Structures are given as structure tokens and as C-alpha cells.
Amino acid sequence: MLEFAATNGGPVLFFQQLELGITLGAMYALVALGYTLVYGIIELINFAHGDVFMWSTVVLLLVSNALGLKGTLGGFALIGVLILFLAIGMAVSAFLNVSIERLAYRRLRKAPRLAPLIAAVGVSFILENIAQLTIGSGFIAFPPIFPTTALNIFGVKISILHIFIFGLAVGLMYALDRFIQTTKLGRAMRATAQDPEAAALMGVNVNRTIFMAFLIGGALAGAAGLCYNLVIAQVNFFTGFKFGLIAFTAAVFGGIGNVYGAVAGGFAIGIIYALSIQYFNFLPGGGVAWVDAIVFGILVLTLVFRPSGILGQQVPDKV
Amino acid sequence: MPTFAQFMRAPFARTNHFFETTKLGPYPIAWYVSGWRGGLLVLLAAILFPIFYDQTSIQPLLGDGIQVGIYVILALGLNVVVGYAGLLDLGYVAFFAIGEYVASFLTTGYIFSKLGQSPIIVLKSPMPFILIFPAAALFAGFIGVLFGAPTLRLRGDYLAIVTLGLGEIVPIFFQNVPWFGGNVGASVLYIPNIQLPSLVSSIVGFTTISLTPLLNKAGFYFLTLMMVVIVVLLTNSLRESSLGRAWIAIREDETAASAAGVNLVRTKLLAFAFGAAMGGLGGVLDGANSGSIVPTVFSFNTSITILIMIVLGGIGSLRGVILGAAILRLIDFTLLGQLNTFRQTSPLVTNIHGILHFLALPQFDFNQAKFLIYGLILLAMILLRPQGLLPDRRRQRELVGIGESAEAYSAVGLLEREEAGEGVSGTGSEDMTLFTGSGSDAQGREG
């Protein structure tokens, strides 16, 4: 495989794919944080989270059409549009995620564990298909508003857009870390994650904590939706299923319930994804055809051999 | 075994007044449509309904009947895994795919030709068609054990995600390994030409027409019906066997079951194997019915469609699952077309704007909304009636002693009952042994 890599461009190609992987990883990490926040607090795999992310991409497409955006923007126009899109995307996904919690999951909180999971699958179906009815089943191009300028470092092209996305993701993650570690609500979230009943006895408003987890998770997914539209620029109703599953893999790989694990897992899975596309090209159909199978294979292997993930604690099963 | 007198005693203490009291001959109506008698009635109807249609319009109806039968088999197979053993499998479609490809492999030699061993596609089955069923069932069951083995240590929701991952990997494998025909799919060119015995065909009335086997669906319809009956009898007797009780025990409380001597690994693997084998049977029937394999069918949507059939009818309930499968297929075949007609004729929906604007589009087709409707059904059932339309009788009996709140979650409680596990009352035990022979009653108590 190394020889194969060398014949295809050697280190330059490797670093080029690495750069793409880090960009993808930033997006996966943002979505994975939503999975891990919710799982950490109510132990629910929010199966609809990928579709919450997808709805951010869809709404941003509709907004960009309404604004009549076509080509590359510059200067203050670009900054203004980006801030607007970020606000809209985060608001849409946060609102959607919180509504789902309120309408579907809250009623099932005392139900057996698989009831909310099945409900989440139903919600995912509904969100996907409303999106399909809204924008059709094709892939719709998002206008390329961001300049395509790239830095060239020893032959490796690092685009400004990718740097922006990395910076945005890291900034949001830092804000989340500060929120969880320093604020009163953040402390309540950590307490609820450890032991909901004890936290409730200590005066923590558990409902508000769960609300916050869904709100923050949704907002991060909305930001990821903007990044996705800028990088991949193809809006489709089915994006959320696969993207969500890969982000969930990232959350599991890093250790579900652990926010640092979700970030580490997100970047790891992003890099594995980008490198697999390139270095598994010898498989029939090319690396692109198999990359999902490779990521899901990682998911299965992680869950089977180390369910706590690379950063998670080994926790015995609750009886 | 209940005595005959016990069996006769009104088993409808809490059922619908009309069924309970209105007599038809010596017994109330409910007596005739409950348990195995009801099943027999449904079977008779399924056998006899072709008589009452004229020969030209019966073919598409038989085609629908075959589809319903295939999905009943798939739903019953998934019900073994989800309903009996309480293991949520979100990648069930993988076994369906395996059954289809096994059928293709055994009947056409298509895959051999891709391997370069034989350049000629064998048009005729090298083995009797009926032997393909056990072959596919065994192979799918074997793959089921392979899939199940590494996942057994996992808790319910993790298991669901692992099976989902495996269910995504299998179609990717089939679509990209060139032997299997890629996105075009492989062929199952051999469509069995099933000759009805002359007595049956003279009763049913098919002797007067001679269509090609492709068009004359009657033989294949009865083959499907036979497989459905076999699978129904198998799943029913499995539930009442020691293995079935072991499944229910691990579903209720894994730790307690293990302490009571249930071999967890063996029991769970057998659930996976039986479920997978039935998925394989469904795959053979579907492949042979359509004559070719369409790999896009093996998607997550299909897995969830089968899951919705179970949740709609009642998780773990034989009659419920059959009803759920039939309802969902009928929505697909009939209701969506009716809605299209209604939408075109009704002026109510022409002024809708915003997110529902699609309802006002002249070219909008309700078939596009199929999975939206399925999703709404799934969510509504979980939130409003989680025990399903026709809940499992044993399940209901157990829940009598628990009270209202637990009953609200009864069907899903089948999957995993951490919350209400301690509430199983002994009051229903006598009734349980009483009705072990009868899998259904007419109208379940509405909760």
C-alpha cells in the first residue's frame, strides 16, 4: 500500500488528503458532539440528529436562493452573509432538536430504553421525507460564496475555506468547553450526566439540563450544516443519514458521552475517511464506493472490542 | 395442554360485547374468529379468493398477494429477533439480500459465469426449486450466526447500531464486488413454473387459461402461501418451545435468565439464526418472483419498513405482525393511489403554501410520501399505542397486574424491561397455560 501511495504522489498527496480529512473531521466532530451530549445525559442515541444537521443545509439553501446569491462574495458582504447563515443554521437546528425532544422523547423518558430509539428512527424518517418533498430528491448545488483562494505549502494546497472551517469548529468547541467547565448550567449538565437522580435531589432542574443538551447539540449541528454547504456544496435530503451515522461512529470511536472523545473521534474518523478514499482505490469500484463500509466496519469493531471508545472509561453494564 | 372443556370456556371475559354475546349457531361469533380457527379462516380466504375474481384482473391481485406473503415472512422472521428475544436488529435487510443472491447463485449460475468458470449463463435450475429454500435458509442462518456472534455482549441500543452498520456494509459489498452484478444486480432467471395439481386447478378455475409461467402468478401465489403457512407454524411452535421461553426470559431480564440456567450465547445466536433464515426465505421468494435482483431495495428503508410492520401490529404478537405486514403493503398498493386520486379531485389542497406546497403541485405523487407516512405511523404507534394493534396475549396477561402506566409501554417493554421488570404478576399464569394453544383472539381489549 505504501508503494501504491508513493506512485500516486507520495507525501504531497498524503498531506493533501490529510488536509481534507481534518476539514471533514471538524464537521464530523461538531455533529458528534450533539450525539455525545445527548447520550451522556439521557443515554439515548438520537437517531434523528443527522437529519437535524441536514435540515440546516436545506434551510440555508432556501435562504441563499431567497437572497439571490450566485457567485463568490468578498469583504464585508461575505462576512455578513456568513454570520447570517451561521445564525440561521444554528437557530434552525437547535429549534428542531429541542422540538423533537419536547414532542417525542420527553414522553418516553420513563419508557424502556428502546422505545425512544425507535421513536428517533421514526422522527428521522419524517424529517428526511419532508425535506425530500420540499427540495426534491436530487442533489442541489449550494452557491460557491466563499473565495477559492488557497495557500501553497510545499505543494500542499491549503484552502482558506478549510482554515475558516477549522477555526470556526475549534472556536465553537472551545466555547462549549468553557460553558461546560465554568458556568452553573454546565456544572448542572455534568452532574446530570453522572447521576440524574442525585443531581435532581441537589436541586438541578433536570428538564432544563436535557433541554440545554439538545439545544447546544442542535446548534453545533447547524454550524456543521453551514460548513457542509461551503465545502461539499451539494444539498440532498438523504445527506443526514450517512453523515449522521459517520458522526455517530466518531462519537463512539472517541468514547460516547465524553465531549473530548467526540472531538478526537471526529477528527480521527475524518482523517480515516479522507485517506481511505485515496488509499483503498485498489478495491473494485474505487475507494469512494467502500469508504462507508470501512467507517461502519470501524464502528462495529469499536463497539465489539472497546465499547467505551479510545478516550472513554470502561464502565460496567448497568443491571 | 388445556382440556377441551377449558378450551371451550369463554376466553373473552373482557372483550367486545358484540362478539361476546351475539351467537352464531352454538357459539358466540368471537369463538369462530379466535385462535387457530381465525387463522384457518384467513387461510381459507387466502386460498379461495382467486375464485371470485375474473381471470384477467386476478393476475395483479395475485402479484400483490405474493408481495404481502413475502413481507409477512420477513416480518415474522424479524419478530423472532425483536419480539421474542428482544434484540433490536436494524440491519435485517442484509439477510433478505443474502437470500436473493443465494437464489441467483443456485438457479442461474450467473455468479459462476462472472467468476470465469463458465461463460454460459445456465437458464435452468440445476436443482429442484423447492430445495433452494432450505439451502438459502441454512446459508442466511449461518451468516446470521456470524453477525450475531460478535455483537452478543452489547446492550440493546448498541446492538441496534451494530446491526445497522452490518446491514449497510452487506449491500455495499454486493454492489461493488463485480461478481454480483453491481448496481444492475444479478439475475434470478429461473422463474419456477409451478403446476397446480389438476384437482386444485379445476376448483380454482385456472385450467381454462394457459398463460406463460411469468404471467400466470397462481402457482407462485400458492407456493408463497405455503411458505407463509410453514413460517407461521414454525414461529408459533418456536414461541411455545423451551427455546421460545428462553428467548422471552432473556428479553425480560437477561441476568435473571442467565442465573436460571439459560445459555445466553446459544439462545441469542439461535434467535439471530432463525430470524436470518426466514429473511433468506423471503429473499428467495422475492428474487424468484421478480426474476432479477434490484440492489437498491437492500436499503435501511426496507429494514425499517419491516420493523414498522412489527410495531404497528404488536411486537411479539404473531397475528399482529401478520396484520401489520398486510396493512403496510396495502397502504403501498392501494391507499397511496387513492390519495393521489383524492388530491387531484379535491379543491381543498390547491391553496396550500409553505412547506406543504407539494400538496398543491399537479405532478405530486403520494408514492413519494410513502416513507413519510411510514415514519408517522412508527412515531404515532410508539407514542400512543406501543403495544400495537393486536397485542401479544401473553404480554397482555402479564401486564394485567402492573397497572396503567406500565401497560402504556407494554409492547416496547417486550424489547427490554428495565423499568417494569419487577412488576410481572402471577395472576395471569393460569390463563396463560390455558391459552398457550391459541395464538390470537378476535378483538384484543383496547387499552
Side-chain angles (χ1 to χ4, degrees), chain B residues 248-273:
Chain B
I248 291 165
I250 60 169
R251 174 187 84 198
E252 300 293 335
D253 190 333
E254 210 169 277
T255 319
S258 176
V262 173
N263 183 339
L264 290 182
V265 171
R266 181 174 158 275
T267 312
K268 285 184 176 180
L269 280 182
L270 278 173
F272 258 90

Side-chain angles (χ1 to χ4, degrees), chain A:
Chain A
M1 216 155 71
L2 279 174
E3 294 89 336
F4 188 80
T7 56
N8 266 282
V12 171
L13 187 73
F14 175 81
F15 283 107
Q16 193 65 60
Q17 289 301 108
L18 191 67
E19 187 254 6
L20 176 66
I22 290 171
T23 311
L24 286 177
M27 295 191 270
Y28 289 138
L30 285 176
V31 179
L33 279 168
Y35 280 106
T36 223
L37 281 171
V38 168
Y39 194 90
I41 288 180
I42 54 171
E43 297 209 340
L44 161 70
I45 297 172
N46 183 8
F47 202 87
H49 192 65
D51 300 300
V52 168
F53 154 80
M54 176 272 296
W55 262 100
S56 157
T57 69
V58 168
V59 169
L60 290 180
L61 175 78
L62 298 178
V63 171
S64 77
N65 284 348
L67 293 177
L69 297 176
K70 286 276 188 299
T72 311
L73 301 173
F76 288 114
L78 179 67
I79 294 170
V81 165
L82 284 179
I83 290 174
L84 178 72
F85 277 6
L86 191 64
I88 292 175
M90 290 175 86
V92 164
S93 289
F95 172 74
L96 206 54
N97 218 18
V98 166
S99 315
I100 295 168
E101 194 271 330
R102 189 69 194 80
L103 296 175
Y105 302 153
R106 188 171 290 187
R107 295 152 184 259
L108 297 171
R109 211 173 282 162
K110 287 275 180 285
R113 193 177 182 133
L114 290 181
L117 181 61
I118 294 178
V121 172
V123 170
S124 159
F125 252 52
I126 293 167
L127 290 180
E128 269 172 28
N129 286 285
I130 293 178
Q132 187 191 11
L133 295 171
T134 309
I135 62 163
S137 40
F139 286 84
I140 301 174
F142 190 78
I145 55 169
F146 210 93
T148 50
T149 328
L151 308 175
N152 192 330
I153 301 171
F154 303 118
V156 182
K157 284 189 184 125
I158 299 179
S159 95
I160 302 286
L161 170 63
H162 291 188
I163 295 173
F164 164 74
I165 282 168
F166 183 79
L168 177 67
V170 170
L172 288 171
M173 290 166 198
Y174 181 76
L176 175 68
D177 177 58
R178 287 299 90 202
F179 174 78
I180 289 179
Q181 298 298 341
T182 57
T183 66
K184 208 174 162 187
L185 255 173
R187 197 163 66 223
M189 284 174 79
R190 280 183 290 143
T192 314
Q194 270 186 10
D195 190 337
E197 280 171 23
L201 289 174
M202 295 298 138
V204 171
N205 185 339
V206 175
N207 267 343
R208 201 171 67 168
T209 315
I210 294 171
F211 172 86
M212 282 309 290
F214 276 88
L215 186 83
I216 296 171
L220 293 175
L226 171 63
C227 300
Y228 186 90
N229 274 0
L230 294 176
V231 177
I232 314 281
Q234 294 285 322
V235 181
N236 179 257
F237 76 99
F238 204 56
T239 307
F241 174 69
K242 213 157 252 180
F243 197 93
L245 211 51
I246 294 171
F248 177 75
T249 304
V252 169
F253 190 60
I256 194 151
N258 179 337
V259 285
Y260 306 106
V263 173
F267 281 111
I269 291 293
I271 291 167
I272 290 171
Y273 196 94
L275 294 181
S276 299
I277 290 176
Q278 187 59 40
Y279 294 105
F280 280 95
N281 239 335
F282 60 91
L283 290 172
V288 179
W290 288 89
V291 66
D292 294 322
I294 291 163
V295 173
F296 299 149
I298 292 172
L299 171 68
V300 172
L301 292 176
T302 313
L303 281 178
V304 169
F305 292 108
R306 197 175 158 79
S308 54
I310 46 177
L311 292 187
Q313 299 283 314
Q314 202 79 39
V315 187
D317 199 358
K318 280 183 196 167
V319 178

Side-chain angles (χ1 to χ4, degrees), chain A residues 39 43 45 47 55 103-104 107-123 125-126 128-130 132-134 238 241-242 245 248 252 256 284-285 289-290 292-293 296-297 299-300 303-305 307 317-319, chain B residues 86 88 90 150-151 153-158 160-162 164-166 168-169 172-173 176-178 255 300-301 304 307-308 311 315 355 357-358 364 368-369 371-372 374-376 378-379 382-384 409 412-413 415-419:
Chain A
Y39 194 90
E43 297 209 340
I45 297 172
F47 202 87
W55 262 100
L103 296 175
R107 295 152 184 259
L108 297 171
R109 211 173 282 162
K110 287 275 180 285
R113 193 177 182 133
L114 290 181
L117 181 61
I118 294 178
V121 172
V123 170
F125 252 52
I126 293 167
E128 269 172 28
N129 286 285
I130 293 178
Q132 187 191 11
L133 295 171
T134 309
F238 204 56
F241 174 69
K242 213 157 252 180
L245 211 51
F248 177 75
V252 169
I256 194 151
W290 288 89
D292 294 322
F296 299 149
L299 171 68
V300 172
L303 281 178
V304 169
F305 292 108
D317 199 358
K318 280 183 196 167
V319 178
Chain B
L88 185 56
L90 293 180
T151 59
R153 290 191 301 141
L154 300 172
R155 273 191 330 229
D157 45 1
Y158 276 9
I161 296 296
V162 166
L164 169 58
L166 290 171
E168 289 294 303
I169 291 172
I172 292 175
F173 175 81
N176 290 299
V177 175
T255 319
F300 179 66
N301 283 356
I304 295 303
L307 180 69
I308 295 170
V311 173
I315 300 174
I355 209 162
H357 74 96
F358 55 84
F364 174 70
Q368 293 171 5
F371 288 110
L372 175 63
Y374 286 5
L376 288 171
L378 185 62
L379 191 62
I382 284 293
L383 289 177
L384 303 175
Y409 299 115
V412 194
L415 302 173
E416 191 173 6
R417 295 212 10 234
E418 292 177 339
E419 307 291 329

Side-chain angles (χ1 to χ4, degrees), chain B residues 125-139:
Chain B
S125 171
M127 61 197 294
F129 186 75
I130 206 77
L131 286 184
I132 293 165
F133 288 106
L138 279 176
F139 188 71

